[in-house]
Amino acid sequence: VCVHEYVIVHLCDSTKGALQLTLIKECLSSPISLHCIPMLPEGRLSGEETSEEEESEEEGQRNMPKESPLSMALQILVPFLLAGFGTVSAGMVLDIVQHWKAFTSITEIFILVPALLGLKGNLEMTLASRLSTAVNVGKMDSPIEKWNLIIGNLALKQVQATVVGFLAAVAAVILGWIPEGRFQMSHATLLCSSSVATAFIASLLQGIIMVGVIVGSKKTGINPDNVATPIAASFGDLITLAILAWISQGLFNCLDSHPYVSFLVCAFFMCLTPVWMVISSKHPASRQLLYSGWEPVITAMLISSIGGLILGKTVSDPNLAGIVVYTPVINGIGGNLVAIQSSRISTHLHFHSAPGEVPDEAKGCYYPCRTFCGSGANHRSAQVLLLLVVPGHVMFLYTIHLMKSGHTTLTTIFMAVYLAAALLQVFLLLCIADWMVHSMWKSGKDPDSFSIPYLTALGDLLGTALLALGFHFLWVIGDQDSDVGD
């Protein structure tokens, strides 16, 4: 009899995994080398009877900590504000660098922006969600197990960042140049080098920060589901944009005198990929995702690239150039909020259901009231997150105004249109998250690894599209600024 590790890993994710693995071992004459531990404490079949003492002990292990709406809001508020001001800073940086020579000469760099900023959703927030669940279910109590999880996931993240960075550059070339029938090899090489180098360096820096946040949350008793994903994005946009602008401008300056530099930079980071693959494959926590975790990451990159195409086309219109400073803000805030909800629902399912089984309230056809109406923990968190949208964005808009950034005056009609777009974006994302996470769990996929990339990419696409529509609407009705595009 041959039992594949793929099957063993999925059995271990089940609450009944320990018993099933015992049965497998009894059926085989040779021992099995197990490479994982059940995501939840050892469970029993639903028909088994246990003593009250055992039941209370198991209850103490498995029950999620009770949170009031106030404590939940307070835990979310600080990282939410940090993440928001991080996106504001990123918007200001993008507003400045859009006038740099590299960005004006190679406008396809704007197509890279949502895809590279989306890496925090593809990689950092996914890592945060996986490690948050691991903390809550007790998989990081052992130092050896904790470092196996951390090292394996960081190595996996570097592989994914390099590959996604390369594919984002290819998508930018296809979306930006092929339709117009023009192609310039030196510019394509610069795009590839800038994208790969930015993705690699930013992912490494943010991954290290993320691990520190998760470990610190565990030690201080804070639920990492509430704080990890927003903090993952707090400086992520700023770091990524600063690195992209610096590398792009530096390589552009070398384009005429040393054209081979772009090729060498790209080759160097691509050659590091096999090293990270070897490290990742040696750790069971990341080995499975190294082979099966590419679908959401690559699909999310393509979705974000479409948002980048919308941004590039909008920025190219001098009358609408003011959109640049607000794009990272609306995209980042929407992605942060939906990532919190996705992470919380995923943790809830890991505690209360086996993969393939969903709670009774999530069965049947989806309807929006299911997300917001009710007294359950996930209903309360959706309500809290939606209520944070308007006051949060008002604060960030006035911060941009006080810093005298951007090219758009804060009129009443502008704020109304912007806030309506932001509210609609988050409402749609929370509804999609509720449906998507439960659907993935029902199909046997781990939402921690699959849902957040899709959701943050959809946040980028929805945010950019709704904001572009808003700016077009404002221009049509006459809410225009003489300094737009100046």
Side-chain angles (χ1 to χ4, degrees), residues 328-351:
V329 180
I330 193 170
N331 292 352
I333 297 305
N336 296 343
L337 294 177
V338 75
I340 294 173
Q341 182 71 354
S342 173
S343 184
R344 291 180 62 89
I345 297 174
S346 180
T347 299
H348 184 271
L349 290 172
H350 274 97
F351 264 94

Side-chain angles (χ1 to χ4, degrees), residues 95 98 318-326 397 400-402 404-411 413-415 418 467 470-471 474-475 479-486:
D95 187 50
Q98 70 169 320
N319 296 325
L320 304 174
I323 191 176
V324 167
V325 72
Y326 301 105
L397 286 175
I400 293 173
H401 175 68
L402 291 174
K404 301 185 184 303
S405 184
H407 305 297
T408 306
T409 306
L410 277 190
T411 62
I413 184 65
F414 170 79
M415 291 189 65
Y418 178 90
L467 198 57
F471 268 77
L474 289 170
W475 188 260
D479 189 64
Q480 307 164 0
D481 294 314
S482 59
D483 63 334
V484 167
D486 184 1

Side-chain angles (χ1 to χ4, degrees), residues 25-41:
K25 291 172 70 176
E26 290 176 357
C27 293
L28 297 176
S29 56
S30 59
I32 297 176
S33 176
L34 301 181
H35 297 287
C36 61
I37 298 174
M39 181 64 85
L40 295 177

Side-chain angles (χ1 to χ4, degrees), residues 13 15 37-42 61-65 129-141 145 149 218 223-225 346-352 448:
D13 283 340
T15 55
I37 298 174
M39 181 64 85
L40 295 177
E42 292 187 2
Q61 288 177 330
R62 289 193 190 177
N63 274 358
M64 294 180 66
S129 183
R130 282 202 300 267
L131 295 184
S132 296
T133 299
V135 166
N136 281 322
V137 301
K139 281 180 69 69
M140 292 184 70
D141 294 338
E145 190 176 16
L149 276 170
K218 182 178 183 298
N223 183 358
D225 278 324
S346 180
T347 299
H348 184 271
L349 290 172
H350 274 97
F351 264 94
H352 298 99
D448 282 325

Side-chain angles (χ1 to χ4, degrees), residues 104-186:
T104 55
S105 300
I106 311 175
T107 56
E108 287 72 23
I109 295 177
F110 284 106
I111 300 178
L112 291 177
V113 171
L116 292 178
L117 296 188
L119 282 178
K120 72 179 184 297
N122 289 358
L123 306 179
E124 274 73 38
M125 288 185 176
T126 303
L127 172 68
S129 183
R130 282 202 300 267
L131 295 184
S132 296
T133 299
V135 166
N136 281 322
V137 301
K139 281 180 69 69
M140 292 184 70
D141 294 338
S142 164
I144 295 176
E145 190 176 16
K146 176 175 71 175
W147 286 110
N148 277 337
L149 276 170
I150 290 172
I151 294 173
N153 277 285
L154 286 179
L156 170 68
K157 200 159 69 67
Q158 292 309 113
V159 176
Q160 293 178 326
T162 306
V163 173
V164 170
F166 177 77
L167 294 177
V170 173
V173 170
I174 294 174
L175 294 173
W177 287 333
I178 301 301
E180 299 177 8
R182 62 187 181 89
F183 178 80
Q184 197 167 343
M185 188 63 191
S186 59

Side-chain angles (χ1 to χ4, degrees), residues 72 76 226 340-341 344-345 371 376-387 430:
M72 184 192 308
I76 292 173
N226 292 336
I340 294 173
Q341 182 71 354
R344 291 180 62 89
I345 297 174
T371 301
N378 294 330
H379 299 115
R380 290 197 301 271
S381 62
Q383 295 160 9
V384 169
L385 294 172
L386 193 62
L387 289 173
L430 291 175

Side-chain angles (χ1 to χ4, degrees), residues 167-400:
L167 294 177
V170 173
V173 170
I174 294 174
L175 294 173
W177 287 333
I178 301 301
E180 299 177 8
R182 62 187 181 89
F183 178 80
Q184 197 167 343
M185 188 63 191
S186 59
H187 286 184
T189 307
L190 184 147
L191 275 177
C192 183
S193 302
S194 302
S195 182
V196 170
T198 299
F200 185 94
I201 297 170
S203 181
L204 183 61
L205 292 175
Q206 293 175 68
I208 294 171
I209 294 172
M210 203 64 265
V211 168
V213 169
I214 297 289
V215 174
S217 297
K218 182 178 183 298
K219 290 183 177 180
T220 55
I222 296 174
N223 183 358
D225 278 324
N226 292 336
V227 301
T229 48
I231 291 180
S234 58
F235 301 108
D237 288 348
L238 180 60
I239 291 172
T240 303
L241 268 177
I243 294 173
L244 176 63
W246 177 68
I247 292 177
S248 299
Q249 187 61 40
L251 293 176
F252 184 81
N253 292 335
C254 297
L255 207 56
D256 294 329
S257 57
H258 304 90
Y260 56 86
V261 172
S262 295
F263 176 79
L264 291 178
V265 169
C266 183
F268 171 75
F269 286 106
M270 293 298 291
C271 288
L272 290 177
T273 304
V275 177
W276 296 110
M277 290 180 68
V278 170
I279 296 173
S280 178
S281 64
K282 290 183 179 296
H283 293 80
S286 56
R287 184 186 299 118
Q288 181 193 359
L289 289 174
L290 182 62
Y291 301 106
S292 63
W294 292 98
E295 176 195 337
V297 174
I298 294 175
T299 306
M301 180 273 298
L302 293 174
I303 295 172
S304 294
S305 295
I306 297 173
L309 180 63
I310 296 173
L311 176 63
K313 295 295 183 184
T314 307
V315 170
S316 62
D317 184 348
N319 296 325
L320 304 174
I323 191 176
V324 167
V325 72
Y326 301 105
T327 302
V329 180
I330 193 170
N331 292 352
I333 297 305
N336 296 343
L337 294 177
V338 75
I340 294 173
Q341 182 71 354
S342 173
S343 184
R344 291 180 62 89
I345 297 174
S346 180
T347 299
H348 184 271
L349 290 172
H350 274 97
F351 264 94
H352 298 99
S353 306
E357 302 174 3
V358 294
D360 292 336
E361 65 269 15
K363 293 179 179 177
C365 295
Y366 174 79
Y367 51 97
C369 289
R370 194 179 84 184
T371 301
F372 301 98
C373 302
S375 57
N378 294 330
H379 299 115
R380 290 197 301 271
S381 62
Q383 295 160 9
V384 169
L385 294 172
L386 193 62
L387 289 173
L388 286 174
V389 173
V390 172
H393 274 292
V394 168
M395 186 182 302
F396 303 140
L397 286 175
Y398 271 103
T399 301
I400 293 173

